[in-house]
């Protein structure tokens, strides 16, 4: 019997865009990463092709949740484009983004599958992006791989990932919002429905099913005055260590 685990990602960058209901010339974004967007990121890292629904299915079946550590600001951009062959101008479109947002996303499932995805994130076949190709992450997205735990527990214990500048300008919140898939025994009355359950990423017939999402809250893991969640990076630390050894 295979064990289960939780793979945790830190999704941060100048811009993010997680659309679940975009149509034609208006491309919106949700307030937090969608399951289809995060599963697409993992599938890209693993080298799964868009039309490979067979290998996509195990990833789509993972239990998904996300924690809002830094909400960011919603911005709007007007997008122009020209046809690649004819050069004709395409319709003007509105595109919405989240600026300076930070999220902790997690997927729960088979430990062996998650270990493979964790390795893929460290050496991706296709580079990850935060919802759209124009939104690269500001740092590697892999954060941690937990064994024998639940998604709810992982999202409660992972240190607060907000940027250092955000912590300086804002008081530490009492709690952080968590959006996760509804468990089978939870009442559906308190849940929302979002069409972001990936079925196929095939460009000719992309398909997404409805997914039930529950909104909860967890106490902020790091108290006020805590340092950077991943610690300050000193590029000269390795040189200092070598000098101390040779002294």
């Amino acid at each position: 019997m295979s064990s289960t685990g939780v793979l945790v990602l830190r999704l941060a960058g100048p811009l993010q865009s997680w659309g679940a209901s975009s149509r034609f010339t208006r491309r919106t974004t949700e307030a937090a990463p969608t399951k289809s967007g995060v599963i697409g990121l993992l599938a890209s890292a693993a080298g799964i092709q868009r039309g490979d629904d067979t290998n996509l299915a195990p990833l789509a079946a993972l239990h998904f949740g996300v924690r809002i550590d830094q909400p960011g600001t919603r911005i709007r951009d007007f997008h122009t484009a020209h046809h690649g062959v004819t050069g004709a101008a395409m319709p003007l479109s509105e595109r919405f983004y989240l600026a300076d947002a930070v999220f902790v996303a997690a997927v729960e499932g088979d430990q062996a599958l998650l270990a493979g995805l964790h390795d893929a994130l460290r050496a991706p076949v296709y580079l990850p992006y935060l919802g759209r190709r124009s939104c690269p992450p500001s740092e590697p997205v892999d954060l941690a791989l937990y064994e024998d735990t639940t998604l709810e527990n992982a999202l409660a214990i992972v240190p607060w990932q907000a940027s250092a500048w955000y912590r300086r300008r804002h008081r530490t919140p009492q709690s952080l919002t968590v959006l996760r898939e509804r468990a089978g025994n939870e009442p559906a009355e308190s849940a929302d429905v979002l069409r972001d359950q990936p079925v196929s990423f095939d460009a000719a017939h992309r398909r997404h099913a409805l997914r039930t999402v529950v909104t909860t809250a967890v106490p902020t893991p790091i108290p006020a005055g805590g340092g950077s969640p991943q610690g300050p990076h000193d590029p000269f630390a390795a040189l200092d260590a070598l000098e101390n050894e040779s002294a």
Side-chain angles (χ1 to χ4, degrees), residues 8-13 16-18 29-33 38 65-73 98-106 130 141 143 155 158 161-162 177 179:
V8 181
L9 314 178
R10 184 179 190 267
L11 305 178
Q16 305 185 38
S17 188
W18 307 97
T29 180
E30 299 295 321
V38 174
V66 61
R67 194 180 74 193
I68 303 176
D69 283 28
Q70 186 174 317
T73 303
L98 297 174
D100 296 324
V102 179
F103 304 99
V104 172
L130 306 179
V141 299
L143 189 58
L155 290 175
V158 171
Q161 297 294 312
T177 299
L179 308 173

PDB file of all heavy atoms in Angstrom, residues 8-13 16-18 29-33 38 65-73 98-106 130 141 143 155 158 161-162 177 179:
ATOM      1  N   VAL A   8       4.283  21.029  -1.570  1.00  0.00           N
ATOM      2  CA  VAL A   8       3.947  22.432  -1.321  1.00  0.00           C
ATOM      3  C   VAL A   8       4.762  23.326  -2.254  1.00  0.00           C
ATOM      4  O   VAL A   8       5.968  23.141  -2.411  1.00  0.00           O
ATOM      5  CB  VAL A   8       4.213  22.814   0.148  1.00  0.00           C
ATOM      6  CG1 VAL A   8       3.828  24.265   0.400  1.00  0.00           C
ATOM      7  CG2 VAL A   8       3.433  21.897   1.083  1.00  0.00           C
ATOM      8  N   LEU A   9       4.083  24.307  -2.849  1.00  0.00           N
ATOM      9  CA  LEU A   9       4.716  25.249  -3.776  1.00  0.00           C
ATOM     10  C   LEU A   9       4.575  26.673  -3.252  1.00  0.00           C
ATOM     11  O   LEU A   9       3.568  27.013  -2.615  1.00  0.00           O
ATOM     12  CB  LEU A   9       4.059  25.163  -5.158  1.00  0.00           C
ATOM     13  CG  LEU A   9       3.812  23.782  -5.756  1.00  0.00           C
ATOM     14  CD1 LEU A   9       3.103  23.917  -7.087  1.00  0.00           C
ATOM     15  CD2 LEU A   9       5.111  23.026  -5.911  1.00  0.00           C
ATOM     16  N   ARG A  10       5.574  27.495  -3.552  1.00  0.00           N
ATOM     17  CA  ARG A  10       5.478  28.938  -3.286  1.00  0.00           C
ATOM     18  C   ARG A  10       5.329  29.636  -4.624  1.00  0.00           C
ATOM     19  O   ARG A  10       6.227  29.590  -5.465  1.00  0.00           O
ATOM     20  CB  ARG A  10       6.707  29.462  -2.554  1.00  0.00           C
ATOM     21  CG  ARG A  10       6.604  30.948  -2.184  1.00  0.00           C
ATOM     22  CD  ARG A  10       7.859  31.405  -1.438  1.00  0.00           C
ATOM     23  NE  ARG A  10       7.715  32.741  -0.872  1.00  0.00           N
ATOM     24  CZ  ARG A  10       8.085  33.868  -1.471  1.00  0.00           C
ATOM     25  NH1 ARG A  10       8.633  33.818  -2.690  1.00  0.00           N
ATOM     26  NH2 ARG A  10       7.910  35.044  -0.886  1.00  0.00           N
ATOM     27  N   LEU A  11       4.192  30.276  -4.832  1.00  0.00           N
ATOM     28  CA  LEU A  11       3.895  30.941  -6.101  1.00  0.00           C
ATOM     29  C   LEU A  11       3.990  32.447  -5.891  1.00  0.00           C
ATOM     30  O   LEU A  11       3.113  33.066  -5.291  1.00  0.00           O
ATOM     31  CB  LEU A  11       2.499  30.540  -6.585  1.00  0.00           C
ATOM     32  CG  LEU A  11       2.270  29.022  -6.713  1.00  0.00           C
ATOM     33  CD1 LEU A  11       0.839  28.734  -7.146  1.00  0.00           C
ATOM     34  CD2 LEU A  11       3.272  28.393  -7.670  1.00  0.00           C
ATOM     35  N   ALA A  12       5.085  33.023  -6.369  1.00  0.00           N
ATOM     36  CA  ALA A  12       5.326  34.456  -6.189  1.00  0.00           C
ATOM     37  C   ALA A  12       5.995  34.999  -7.430  1.00  0.00           C
ATOM     38  O   ALA A  12       6.847  34.340  -8.031  1.00  0.00           O
ATOM     39  CB  ALA A  12       6.208  34.705  -4.962  1.00  0.00           C
ATOM     40  N   GLY A  13       5.617  36.209  -7.820  1.00  0.00           N
ATOM     41  CA  GLY A  13       6.214  36.856  -8.982  1.00  0.00           C
ATOM     42  C   GLY A  13       5.637  38.243  -9.160  1.00  0.00           C
ATOM     43  O   GLY A  13       4.650  38.602  -8.514  1.00  0.00           O
ATOM     44  N   GLN A  16       0.827  37.585 -11.768  1.00  0.00           N
ATOM     45  CA  GLN A  16       0.220  36.274 -11.883  1.00  0.00           C
ATOM     46  C   GLN A  16      -1.159  36.453 -12.503  1.00  0.00           C
ATOM     47  O   GLN A  16      -1.771  37.516 -12.375  1.00  0.00           O
ATOM     48  CB  GLN A  16       0.070  35.594 -10.524  1.00  0.00           C
ATOM     49  CG  GLN A  16       1.360  35.475  -9.741  1.00  0.00           C
ATOM     50  CD  GLN A  16       1.217  34.684  -8.445  1.00  0.00           C
ATOM     51  OE1 GLN A  16       0.492  33.698  -8.381  1.00  0.00           O
ATOM     52  NE2 GLN A  16       1.937  35.127  -7.410  1.00  0.00           N
ATOM     53  N   SER A  17      -1.672  35.410 -13.148  1.00  0.00           N
ATOM     54  CA  SER A  17      -3.025  35.475 -13.706  1.00  0.00           C
ATOM     55  C   SER A  17      -3.586  34.067 -13.766  1.00  0.00           C
ATOM     56  O   SER A  17      -3.036  33.199 -14.447  1.00  0.00           O
ATOM     57  CB  SER A  17      -3.005  36.104 -15.097  1.00  0.00           C
ATOM     58  OG  SER A  17      -4.330  36.329 -15.549  1.00  0.00           O
ATOM     59  N   TRP A  18      -4.674  33.848 -13.032  1.00  0.00           N
ATOM     60  CA  TRP A  18      -5.265  32.520 -12.890  1.00  0.00           C
ATOM     61  C   TRP A  18      -6.718  32.580 -13.355  1.00  0.00           C
ATOM     62  O   TRP A  18      -7.628  32.770 -12.567  1.00  0.00           O
ATOM     63  CB  TRP A  18      -5.157  32.050 -11.450  1.00  0.00           C
ATOM     64  CG  TRP A  18      -3.757  32.113 -10.912  1.00  0.00           C
ATOM     65  CD1 TRP A  18      -3.214  33.111 -10.160  1.00  0.00           C
ATOM     66  CD2 TRP A  18      -2.720  31.145 -11.101  1.00  0.00           C
ATOM     67  NE1 TRP A  18      -1.902  32.830  -9.860  1.00  0.00           N
ATOM     68  CE2 TRP A  18      -1.571  31.624 -10.419  1.00  0.00           C
ATOM     69  CE3 TRP A  18      -2.644  29.921 -11.764  1.00  0.00           C
ATOM     70  CZ2 TRP A  18      -0.371  30.927 -10.396  1.00  0.00           C
ATOM     71  CZ3 TRP A  18      -1.447  29.222 -11.735  1.00  0.00           C
ATOM     72  CH2 TRP A  18      -0.332  29.714 -11.055  1.00  0.00           C
ATOM     73  N   THR A  29      -8.884  37.130 -13.988  1.00  0.00           N
ATOM     74  CA  THR A  29      -8.091  36.306 -13.094  1.00  0.00           C
ATOM     75  C   THR A  29      -8.858  36.098 -11.794  1.00  0.00           C
ATOM     76  O   THR A  29      -9.560  37.008 -11.326  1.00  0.00           O
ATOM     77  CB  THR A  29      -6.724  36.931 -12.794  1.00  0.00           C
ATOM     78  OG1 THR A  29      -5.993  36.061 -11.893  1.00  0.00           O
ATOM     79  CG2 THR A  29      -6.852  38.294 -12.139  1.00  0.00           C
ATOM     80  N   GLU A  30      -8.736  34.907 -11.226  1.00  0.00           N
ATOM     81  CA  GLU A  30      -9.266  34.656  -9.898  1.00  0.00           C
ATOM     82  C   GLU A  30      -8.362  35.325  -8.867  1.00  0.00           C
ATOM     83  O   GLU A  30      -7.249  35.756  -9.164  1.00  0.00           O
ATOM     84  CB  GLU A  30      -9.359  33.154  -9.630  1.00  0.00           C
ATOM     85  CG  GLU A  30     -10.273  32.400 -10.582  1.00  0.00           C
ATOM     86  CD  GLU A  30     -11.724  32.809 -10.444  1.00  0.00           C
ATOM     87  OE1 GLU A  30     -12.168  33.028  -9.303  1.00  0.00           O
ATOM     88  OE2 GLU A  30     -12.409  32.920 -11.475  1.00  0.00           O
ATOM     89  N   ALA A  31      -8.840  35.383  -7.625  1.00  0.00           N
ATOM     90  CA  ALA A  31      -8.058  36.007  -6.559  1.00  0.00           C
ATOM     91  C   ALA A  31      -6.967  35.089  -6.020  1.00  0.00           C
ATOM     92  O   ALA A  31      -6.137  35.521  -5.216  1.00  0.00           O
ATOM     93  CB  ALA A  31      -8.988  36.431  -5.414  1.00  0.00           C
ATOM     94  N   ALA A  32      -6.960  33.830  -6.455  1.00  0.00           N
ATOM     95  CA  ALA A  32      -5.958  32.863  -6.007  1.00  0.00           C
ATOM     96  C   ALA A  32      -5.724  31.856  -7.123  1.00  0.00           C
ATOM     97  O   ALA A  32      -6.549  31.719  -8.034  1.00  0.00           O
ATOM     98  CB  ALA A  32      -6.429  32.160  -4.734  1.00  0.00           C
ATOM     99  N   PRO A  33      -4.612  31.145  -7.088  1.00  0.00           N
ATOM    100  CA  PRO A  33      -4.326  30.159  -8.140  1.00  0.00           C
ATOM    101  C   PRO A  33      -5.436  29.120  -8.282  1.00  0.00           C
ATOM    102  O   PRO A  33      -6.010  28.659  -7.295  1.00  0.00           O
ATOM    103  CB  PRO A  33      -3.022  29.515  -7.663  1.00  0.00           C
ATOM    104  CG  PRO A  33      -2.365  30.577  -6.853  1.00  0.00           C
ATOM    105  CD  PRO A  33      -3.480  31.282  -6.154  1.00  0.00           C
ATOM    106  N   VAL A  38      -2.325  25.285 -11.560  1.00  0.00           N
ATOM    107  CA  VAL A  38      -1.235  24.644 -10.818  1.00  0.00           C
ATOM    108  C   VAL A  38      -0.946  23.250 -11.368  1.00  0.00           C
ATOM    109  O   VAL A  38       0.220  22.860 -11.507  1.00  0.00           O
ATOM    110  CB  VAL A  38      -1.566  24.594  -9.313  1.00  0.00           C
ATOM    111  CG1 VAL A  38      -0.518  23.795  -8.553  1.00  0.00           C
ATOM    112  CG2 VAL A  38      -1.653  26.007  -8.750  1.00  0.00           C
ATOM    113  N   GLY A  65      -5.209  22.529  -2.683  1.00  0.00           N
ATOM    114  CA  GLY A  65      -5.569  23.650  -1.821  1.00  0.00           C
ATOM    115  C   GLY A  65      -4.557  24.773  -1.978  1.00  0.00           C
ATOM    116  O   GLY A  65      -3.426  24.554  -2.439  1.00  0.00           O
ATOM    117  N   VAL A  66      -4.950  25.983  -1.591  1.00  0.00           N
ATOM    118  CA  VAL A  66      -4.057  27.133  -1.709  1.00  0.00           C
ATOM    119  C   VAL A  66      -4.285  28.067  -0.534  1.00  0.00           C
ATOM    120  O   VAL A  66      -5.413  28.221  -0.047  1.00  0.00           O
ATOM    121  CB  VAL A  66      -4.278  27.875  -3.052  1.00  0.00           C
ATOM    122  CG1 VAL A  66      -5.695  28.398  -3.162  1.00  0.00           C
ATOM    123  CG2 VAL A  66      -3.270  28.996  -3.236  1.00  0.00           C
ATOM    124  N   ARG A  67      -3.204  28.676  -0.046  1.00  0.00           N
ATOM    125  CA  ARG A  67      -3.265  29.645   1.054  1.00  0.00           C
ATOM    126  C   ARG A  67      -2.839  31.008   0.533  1.00  0.00           C
ATOM    127  O   ARG A  67      -1.839  31.123  -0.176  1.00  0.00           O
ATOM    128  CB  ARG A  67      -2.343  29.202   2.190  1.00  0.00           C
ATOM    129  CG  ARG A  67      -2.569  29.937   3.507  1.00  0.00           C
ATOM    130  CD  ARG A  67      -1.608  29.431   4.568  1.00  0.00           C
ATOM    131  NE  ARG A  67      -0.246  29.906   4.353  1.00  0.00           N
ATOM    132  CZ  ARG A  67       0.828  29.431   4.970  1.00  0.00           C
ATOM    133  NH1 ARG A  67       0.706  28.434   5.825  1.00  0.00           N
ATOM    134  NH2 ARG A  67       2.031  29.948   4.732  1.00  0.00           N
ATOM    135  N   ILE A  68      -3.583  32.031   0.890  1.00  0.00           N
ATOM    136  CA  ILE A  68      -3.295  33.394   0.423  1.00  0.00           C
ATOM    137  C   ILE A  68      -2.398  34.073   1.447  1.00  0.00           C
ATOM    138  O   ILE A  68      -2.858  34.524   2.500  1.00  0.00           O
ATOM    139  CB  ILE A  68      -4.594  34.188   0.201  1.00  0.00           C
ATOM    140  CG1 ILE A  68      -5.502  33.457  -0.791  1.00  0.00           C
ATOM    141  CG2 ILE A  68      -4.276  35.601  -0.285  1.00  0.00           C
ATOM    142  CD1 ILE A  68      -6.860  34.121  -0.991  1.00  0.00           C
ATOM    143  N   ASP A  69      -1.106  34.137   1.172  1.00  0.00           N
ATOM    144  CA  ASP A  69      -0.154  34.747   2.100  1.00  0.00           C
ATOM    145  C   ASP A  69       0.039  36.233   1.849  1.00  0.00           C
ATOM    146  O   ASP A  69       0.384  36.983   2.768  1.00  0.00           O
ATOM    147  CB  ASP A  69       1.198  34.032   1.998  1.00  0.00           C
ATOM    148  CG  ASP A  69       1.192  32.692   2.707  1.00  0.00           C
ATOM    149  OD1 ASP A  69       0.103  32.081   2.800  1.00  0.00           O
ATOM    150  OD2 ASP A  69       2.249  32.245   3.181  1.00  0.00           O
ATOM    151  N   GLN A  70      -0.133  36.661   0.605  1.00  0.00           N
ATOM    152  CA  GLN A  70       0.011  38.068   0.231  1.00  0.00           C
ATOM    153  C   GLN A  70      -0.952  38.319  -0.924  1.00  0.00           C
ATOM    154  O   GLN A  70      -0.679  37.906  -2.049  1.00  0.00           O
ATOM    155  CB  GLN A  70       1.455  38.355  -0.177  1.00  0.00           C
ATOM    156  CG  GLN A  70       1.786  39.806  -0.458  1.00  0.00           C
ATOM    157  CD  GLN A  70       3.277  40.001  -0.702  1.00  0.00           C
ATOM    158  OE1 GLN A  70       4.110  39.433   0.004  1.00  0.00           O
ATOM    159  NE2 GLN A  70       3.625  40.798  -1.688  1.00  0.00           N
ATOM    160  N   PRO A  71      -2.090  38.963  -0.682  1.00  0.00           N
ATOM    161  CA  PRO A  71      -3.159  39.014  -1.684  1.00  0.00           C
ATOM    162  C   PRO A  71      -2.782  39.671  -3.004  1.00  0.00           C
ATOM    163  O   PRO A  71      -3.310  39.304  -4.054  1.00  0.00           O
ATOM    164  CB  PRO A  71      -4.270  39.816  -0.980  1.00  0.00           C
ATOM    165  CG  PRO A  71      -3.940  39.760   0.469  1.00  0.00           C
ATOM    166  CD  PRO A  71      -2.450  39.651   0.566  1.00  0.00           C
ATOM    167  N   GLY A  72      -1.881  40.632  -2.960  1.00  0.00           N
ATOM    168  CA  GLY A  72      -1.538  41.338  -4.190  1.00  0.00           C
ATOM    169  C   GLY A  72      -2.597  42.341  -4.587  1.00  0.00           C
ATOM    170  O   GLY A  72      -3.592  42.555  -3.894  1.00  0.00           O
ATOM    171  N   THR A  73      -2.383  42.950  -5.748  1.00  0.00           N
ATOM    172  CA  THR A  73      -3.285  43.976  -6.269  1.00  0.00           C
ATOM    173  C   THR A  73      -3.738  43.589  -7.670  1.00  0.00           C
ATOM    174  O   THR A  73      -2.909  43.246  -8.518  1.00  0.00           O
ATOM    175  CB  THR A  73      -2.567  45.346  -6.319  1.00  0.00           C
ATOM    176  OG1 THR A  73      -2.098  45.679  -5.011  1.00  0.00           O
ATOM    177  CG2 THR A  73      -3.528  46.429  -6.808  1.00  0.00           C
ATOM    178  N   LEU A  98      -2.730  39.731 -11.141  1.00  0.00           N
ATOM    179  CA  LEU A  98      -2.472  40.009  -9.736  1.00  0.00           C
ATOM    180  C   LEU A  98      -1.014  40.432  -9.621  1.00  0.00           C
ATOM    181  O   LEU A  98      -0.112  39.683 -10.017  1.00  0.00           O
ATOM    182  CB  LEU A  98      -2.732  38.772  -8.870  1.00  0.00           C
ATOM    183  CG  LEU A  98      -4.161  38.244  -8.842  1.00  0.00           C
ATOM    184  CD1 LEU A  98      -4.214  36.936  -8.057  1.00  0.00           C
ATOM    185  CD2 LEU A  98      -5.109  39.263  -8.232  1.00  0.00           C
ATOM    186  N   ALA A  99      -0.773  41.630  -9.111  1.00  0.00           N
ATOM    187  CA  ALA A  99       0.591  42.144  -8.965  1.00  0.00           C
ATOM    188  C   ALA A  99       1.070  41.943  -7.530  1.00  0.00           C
ATOM    189  O   ALA A  99       0.326  42.177  -6.573  1.00  0.00           O
ATOM    190  CB  ALA A  99       0.635  43.629  -9.325  1.00  0.00           C
ATOM    191  N   ASP A 100       2.316  41.494  -7.386  1.00  0.00           N
ATOM    192  CA  ASP A 100       2.974  41.346  -6.077  1.00  0.00           C
ATOM    193  C   ASP A 100       2.188  40.441  -5.130  1.00  0.00           C
ATOM    194  O   ASP A 100       2.078  40.729  -3.938  1.00  0.00           O
ATOM    195  CB  ASP A 100       3.197  42.718  -5.428  1.00  0.00           C
ATOM    196  CG  ASP A 100       4.148  43.581  -6.225  1.00  0.00           C
ATOM    197  OD1 ASP A 100       5.102  43.035  -6.790  1.00  0.00           O
ATOM    198  OD2 ASP A 100       3.940  44.803  -6.289  1.00  0.00           O
ATOM    199  N   ALA A 101       1.681  39.350  -5.625  1.00  0.00           N
ATOM    200  CA  ALA A 101       0.954  38.390  -4.788  1.00  0.00           C
ATOM    201  C   ALA A 101       1.859  37.204  -4.455  1.00  0.00           C
ATOM    202  O   ALA A 101       2.786  36.882  -5.201  1.00  0.00           O
ATOM    203  CB  ALA A 101      -0.299  37.901  -5.496  1.00  0.00           C
ATOM    204  N   VAL A 102       1.577  36.571  -3.317  1.00  0.00           N
ATOM    205  CA  VAL A 102       2.313  35.378  -2.897  1.00  0.00           C
ATOM    206  C   VAL A 102       1.306  34.356  -2.379  1.00  0.00           C
ATOM    207  O   VAL A 102       0.464  34.678  -1.533  1.00  0.00           O
ATOM    208  CB  VAL A 102       3.352  35.686  -1.797  1.00  0.00           C
ATOM    209  CG1 VAL A 102       4.081  34.409  -1.386  1.00  0.00           C
ATOM    210  CG2 VAL A 102       4.340  36.736  -2.262  1.00  0.00           C
ATOM    211  N   PHE A 103       1.413  33.133  -2.885  1.00  0.00           N
ATOM    212  CA  PHE A 103       0.506  32.059  -2.474  1.00  0.00           C
ATOM    213  C   PHE A 103       1.306  30.821  -2.109  1.00  0.00           C
ATOM    214  O   PHE A 103       2.398  30.581  -2.631  1.00  0.00           O
ATOM    215  CB  PHE A 103      -0.462  31.700  -3.607  1.00  0.00           C
ATOM    216  CG  PHE A 103      -1.272  32.859  -4.114  1.00  0.00           C
ATOM    217  CD1 PHE A 103      -0.897  33.524  -5.275  1.00  0.00           C
ATOM    218  CD2 PHE A 103      -2.392  33.292  -3.432  1.00  0.00           C
ATOM    219  CE1 PHE A 103      -1.632  34.592  -5.753  1.00  0.00           C
ATOM    220  CE2 PHE A 103      -3.134  34.364  -3.902  1.00  0.00           C
ATOM    221  CZ  PHE A 103      -2.754  35.016  -5.059  1.00  0.00           C
ATOM    222  N   VAL A 104       0.731  30.038  -1.222  1.00  0.00           N
ATOM    223  CA  VAL A 104       1.243  28.701  -0.932  1.00  0.00           C
ATOM    224  C   VAL A 104       0.215  27.717  -1.473  1.00  0.00           C
ATOM    225  O   VAL A 104      -0.921  27.674  -0.997  1.00  0.00           O
ATOM    226  CB  VAL A 104       1.456  28.481   0.579  1.00  0.00           C
ATOM    227  CG1 VAL A 104       1.791  27.013   0.862  1.00  0.00           C
ATOM    228  CG2 VAL A 104       2.570  29.375   1.092  1.00  0.00           C
ATOM    229  N   ALA A 105       0.593  26.956  -2.492  1.00  0.00           N
ATOM    230  CA  ALA A 105      -0.293  25.956  -3.078  1.00  0.00           C
ATOM    231  C   ALA A 105       0.197  24.575  -2.676  1.00  0.00           C
ATOM    232  O   ALA A 105       1.406  24.356  -2.509  1.00  0.00           O
ATOM    233  CB  ALA A 105      -0.331  26.084  -4.601  1.00  0.00           C
ATOM    234  N   ALA A 106      -0.736  23.634  -2.529  1.00  0.00           N
ATOM    235  CA  ALA A 106      -0.361  22.292  -2.108  1.00  0.00           C
ATOM    236  C   ALA A 106      -1.229  21.266  -2.815  1.00  0.00           C
ATOM    237  O   ALA A 106      -2.401  21.508  -3.092  1.00  0.00           O
ATOM    238  CB  ALA A 106      -0.509  22.149  -0.591  1.00  0.00           C
ATOM    239  N   LEU A 130       3.235  31.416 -13.935  1.00  0.00           N
ATOM    240  CA  LEU A 130       2.151  31.628 -12.974  1.00  0.00           C
ATOM    241  C   LEU A 130       0.851  31.984 -13.694  1.00  0.00           C
ATOM    242  O   LEU A 130       0.383  33.113 -13.679  1.00  0.00           O
ATOM    243  CB  LEU A 130       2.543  32.723 -11.982  1.00  0.00           C
ATOM    244  CG  LEU A 130       3.885  32.485 -11.274  1.00  0.00           C
ATOM    245  CD1 LEU A 130       4.200  33.629 -10.325  1.00  0.00           C
ATOM    246  CD2 LEU A 130       3.892  31.153 -10.535  1.00  0.00           C
ATOM    247  N   VAL A 141       9.743  27.425  -7.548  1.00  0.00           N
ATOM    248  CA  VAL A 141       8.426  27.280  -6.925  1.00  0.00           C
ATOM    249  C   VAL A 141       8.370  26.136  -5.923  1.00  0.00           C
ATOM    250  O   VAL A 141       7.472  26.112  -5.065  1.00  0.00           O
ATOM    251  CB  VAL A 141       7.322  27.093  -7.991  1.00  0.00           C
ATOM    252  CG1 VAL A 141       7.258  28.293  -8.915  1.00  0.00           C
ATOM    253  CG2 VAL A 141       7.546  25.817  -8.792  1.00  0.00           C
ATOM    254  N   LEU A 143       8.782  24.169  -2.698  1.00  0.00           N
ATOM    255  CA  LEU A 143       8.998  24.649  -1.338  1.00  0.00           C
ATOM    256  C   LEU A 143       9.289  23.502  -0.375  1.00  0.00           C
ATOM    257  O   LEU A 143      10.237  23.561   0.402  1.00  0.00           O
ATOM    258  CB  LEU A 143       7.774  25.437  -0.857  1.00  0.00           C
ATOM    259  CG  LEU A 143       7.908  26.188   0.472  1.00  0.00           C
ATOM    260  CD1 LEU A 143       9.055  27.180   0.414  1.00  0.00           C
ATOM    261  CD2 LEU A 143       6.601  26.913   0.798  1.00  0.00           C
ATOM    262  N   LEU A 155      -0.853  23.111   4.972  1.00  0.00           N
ATOM    263  CA  LEU A 155      -1.163  24.521   4.766  1.00  0.00           C
ATOM    264  C   LEU A 155      -1.214  25.291   6.086  1.00  0.00           C
ATOM    265  O   LEU A 155      -1.131  26.515   6.099  1.00  0.00           O
ATOM    266  CB  LEU A 155      -2.493  24.668   4.029  1.00  0.00           C
ATOM    267  CG  LEU A 155      -2.473  24.229   2.556  1.00  0.00           C
ATOM    268  CD1 LEU A 155      -3.870  24.315   1.963  1.00  0.00           C
ATOM    269  CD2 LEU A 155      -1.502  25.076   1.744  1.00  0.00           C
ATOM    270  N   VAL A 158       3.178  25.436   7.187  1.00  0.00           N
ATOM    271  CA  VAL A 158       4.199  26.074   6.340  1.00  0.00           C
ATOM    272  C   VAL A 158       4.362  27.536   6.761  1.00  0.00           C
ATOM    273  O   VAL A 158       3.373  28.267   6.882  1.00  0.00           O
ATOM    274  CB  VAL A 158       3.799  25.996   4.858  1.00  0.00           C
ATOM    275  CG1 VAL A 158       4.734  26.838   4.000  1.00  0.00           C
ATOM    276  CG2 VAL A 158       3.817  24.558   4.386  1.00  0.00           C
ATOM    277  N   GLN A 161       4.750  33.076   3.949  1.00  0.00           N
ATOM    278  CA  GLN A 161       5.657  33.311   2.838  1.00  0.00           C
ATOM    279  C   GLN A 161       5.600  34.727   2.271  1.00  0.00           C
ATOM    280  O   GLN A 161       6.178  34.990   1.218  1.00  0.00           O
ATOM    281  CB  GLN A 161       5.349  32.321   1.710  1.00  0.00           C
ATOM    282  CG  GLN A 161       5.566  30.876   2.086  1.00  0.00           C
ATOM    283  CD  GLN A 161       7.024  30.561   2.355  1.00  0.00           C
ATOM    284  OE1 GLN A 161       7.894  30.916   1.566  1.00  0.00           O
ATOM    285  NE2 GLN A 161       7.300  29.910   3.475  1.00  0.00           N
ATOM    286  N   ALA A 162       4.933  35.645   2.919  1.00  0.00           N
ATOM    287  CA  ALA A 162       4.850  37.010   2.408  1.00  0.00           C
ATOM    288  C   ALA A 162       6.242  37.622   2.262  1.00  0.00           C
ATOM    289  O   ALA A 162       7.170  37.298   3.012  1.00  0.00           O
ATOM    290  CB  ALA A 162       4.002  37.872   3.340  1.00  0.00           C
ATOM    291  N   THR A 177      -6.222  33.055   4.774  1.00  0.00           N
ATOM    292  CA  THR A 177      -7.324  32.385   4.088  1.00  0.00           C
ATOM    293  C   THR A 177      -6.809  31.178   3.315  1.00  0.00           C
ATOM    294  O   THR A 177      -5.792  31.254   2.622  1.00  0.00           O
ATOM    295  CB  THR A 177      -8.037  33.355   3.130  1.00  0.00           C
ATOM    296  OG1 THR A 177      -8.562  34.446   3.890  1.00  0.00           O
ATOM    297  CG2 THR A 177      -9.170  32.657   2.396  1.00  0.00           C
ATOM    298  N   LEU A 179      -8.155  28.159   0.586  1.00  0.00           N
ATOM    299  CA  LEU A 179      -9.170  27.667  -0.342  1.00  0.00           C
ATOM    300  C   LEU A 179      -8.785  26.238  -0.713  1.00  0.00           C
ATOM    301  O   LEU A 179      -7.737  26.016  -1.313  1.00  0.00           O
ATOM    302  CB  LEU A 179      -9.230  28.537  -1.599  1.00  0.00           C
ATOM    303  CG  LEU A 179      -9.391  30.042  -1.377  1.00  0.00           C
ATOM    304  CD1 LEU A 179      -9.260  30.784  -2.697  1.00  0.00           C
ATOM    305  CD2 LEU A 179     -10.720  30.351  -0.724  1.00  0.00           C
TER     306      LEU A 179
END
